[in-house]
Amino acid sequence: MTNHSVLMSSPEYFKVEYSINPWMVAGVEVDLDLAKEQWNNLKESIEAAGATVEVVPPSEKHPDLVFTANSGILNGKDVLIANFKYEERRGEEEIFANWFEENGYNVGRIPSEYKFEGRGDAFVYGEYLVGAYGIRSDKEALLYIADEFNLTPVIVELVNEKFYHLDTCFQKLPTENNDAIFYPKAFKDESLSEFSQFFNLIPVTEDDANQLACNAVVVNDTVILPSDGIEVANKISELGANVVVANVSEFLKSGGACQCLVIALD
Ligand code: ARG
């Protein structure tokens, strides 16, 4: 088992007080005790799968800080911090930048006019930058990052407000053959032809997509899905991955599930 590490942020102040995506109903009640329990369970599942978990302290003013996936994009020890689309989350940028700086990363920024929401919309895949634009992140941001990190951009467009980040509708699996699950209707090109030369694409149903099935965390050969009753779970097991469920229903109220709550540090 490889010893990976990931970054999370504890949910003490998690709530849904504004709405910046269709999942969020401002002021909807969140069961904070349950949210904490679900978050701890996810953390334990990640540890059981073989990763260590670093934690950014929570901030009362930033209820969405729990979604560390959006902090930025990492390439080794270099990190480019997010430029959040919505004012409500912009204060998180400094918190994440400070954490990365204090922990020995080379922290950079991209031009402020380019919106970019981190691992939510892009990740490094070998010599490629795989990314999506159209809702939260700008294409220019992805091209800028690819250039900074010396990567070839492989970029697609998102068109469905409900699936507003790439990680809400696409996830690479830890199985052979570069398998990846995706929700076709989230993408402008439903066949995802741009990705098909890199990934063996496995579509999920609308029902699975609505449970944020693609927002699964992958650690070593384990895939952590956000709820029971996800149809594609069997297929993922058949392909050889170890499937685990960490129910994060309280976080779905904010439009996030397992992968949103995590960013891989290596
Ligand atoms: N409420 C957060 C937002 O709308 C959820 C972020 C989910 N993160 C993700 N990587 N998909 O910004």
Side-chain angles (χ1 to χ4, degrees), residues 20-137:
I20 55 171
N21 70 52
W23 302 75
M24 301 175 88
V25 176
V28 74
E29 201 180 321
V30 167
D31 182 336
L32 191 56
D33 287 335
L34 181 58
K36 287 181 192 166
E37 197 181 306
Q38 292 178 339
W39 185 90
N40 277 315
N41 180 46
L42 174 64
K43 180 171 177 281
E44 280 163 21
S45 305
I46 290 168
E47 288 163 345
T52 49
V53 178
E54 309 273 344
V55 180
V56 181
S59 158
E60 196 169 355
K61 282 201 243 145
H62 302 102
D64 275 343
L65 190 74
V66 285
F67 299 111
T68 54
N70 301 120
S71 58
I73 183 162
L74 287 110
N75 187 30
K77 280 279 170 188
D78 295 331
V79 55
L80 290 168
I81 301 294
N83 285 337
F84 283 96
K85 175 167 177 176
Y86 293 108
E87 178 60 37
E88 287 86 340
R89 294 198 66 183
R90 287 197 193 132
E92 296 176 36
E93 295 168 13
E94 197 187 338
I95 298 174
F96 286 126
N98 289 341
W99 188 90
F100 282 110
E101 229 150 59
E102 282 158 17
N103 285 276
Y105 289 80
N106 309 312
V107 176
R109 300 299 310 243
I110 66 172
S112 57
E113 65 268 31
Y114 302 157
K115 296 305 160 221
F116 172 62
E117 299 204 351
R119 169 64 181 90
D121 275 329
F123 60 95
V124 177
Y125 181 62
E127 64 199 84
Y128 300 97
L129 177 79
V130 176
Y133 68 94
I135 300 184
R136 291 294 188 86
S137 297

Side-chain angles (χ1 to χ4, degrees), residues 214-226:
C214 297
N215 203 258
V217 175
V218 174
V219 179
N220 295 312
D221 65 349
T222 297
V223 177
I224 306 172
L225 293 174

Side-chain angles (χ1 to χ4, degrees), residues 5-6 41 71 99 111 120 172 183 187-188 208 241-242:
S5 59
V6 306
N41 180 46
S71 58
W99 188 90
K172 157 109 177 55
Y183 179 50
F187 297 90
K188 179 156 193 201
D208 274 4
N242 170 36

